[in-house]
Amino acid sequence: MQKDPCQALRIALLDLHRVLVELERRQYEKQHGRQSSGDFLQVMAYADEMRWLEPLSRLIVMLDEALDGDGDALSAPAAVAQRARELLSLDRHSSELFTTRYLWHFDAAPELVQAHALALAALKRAGSSVPQAGT
């Protein structure tokens, strides 16, 4: 994967992550009341209920490192693209924590559907196959 598609994928995954964090914040605040940005950052960093986002966060870090030259610039982007295809496959039979929570938000949030479509387009531009929806 060349640098431009790698950057485009990074931006798409960051946007997807941002949407997911916003959705999680709304849900968390419904249950626990309004949170300051600092308080919610602590929740994101340490609460077990937010760990489901870690697979996506790790992919973004891997792309950051590859772009910065700190990681494996040759194999990291391909590995990220492969794992992103798995994470975004919408496999309704999966028991993976990320997938089940992602689908829960996906079914209820049009903004996630849009971010998902942009991530799939970035994967396609990066030369990755677009994931097929699980049936």
Side-chain angles (χ1 to χ4, degrees):
M1 188 183 304
Q2 295 180 345
K3 198 169 196 171
D4 286 343
C6 187
Q7 288 175 331
L9 180 57
R10 177 187 172 273
I11 290 167
L13 292 179
L14 274 171
D15 187 50
L16 187 69
H17 190 272
R18 179 191 54 76
V19 169
L20 290 168
V21 168
E22 288 173 4
L23 293 170
E24 282 296 314
R25 183 173 185 157
R26 278 188 237 151
Q27 188 63 33
Y28 186 85
E29 288 182 342
K30 281 181 186 176
Q31 296 174 352
H32 303 281
R34 187 128 171 85
Q35 304 288 306
S36 71
S37 295
D39 288 342
F40 190 70
L41 181 60
Q42 293 295 310
V43 170
M44 288 300 303
Y46 300 111
D48 287 339
E49 64 200 273
M50 300 300 173
R51 293 200 199 272
W52 73 273
L53 278 166
E54 286 179 5
L56 182 58
S57 301
R58 281 194 300 270
L59 293 181
I60 295 166
V61 169
M62 287 175 67
L63 285 175
D64 286 343
E65 290 172 349
L67 288 166
D68 290 343
D70 295 335
D72 184 351
L74 296 178
S75 65
V80 167
Q82 175 61 35
R83 183 64 177 134
R85 285 192 305 274
E86 293 168 6
L87 288 176
L88 303 181
S89 69
L90 302 177
D91 180 1
R92 296 197 180 271
H93 298 291
S94 174
S95 60
E96 187 175 345
L97 183 58
F98 178 89
T99 303
T100 56
R101 187 70 178 169
Y102 187 86
L103 283 167
W104 184 79
H105 282 302
F106 188 86
D107 291 340
E111 62 268 43
L112 180 56
V113 174
Q114 181 178 9
H116 179 88
L118 293 172
L120 294 184
L123 278 168
K124 188 172 183 176
R125 282 191 308 275
S128 303
S129 62
V130 177
Q132 300 297 311
T135 56

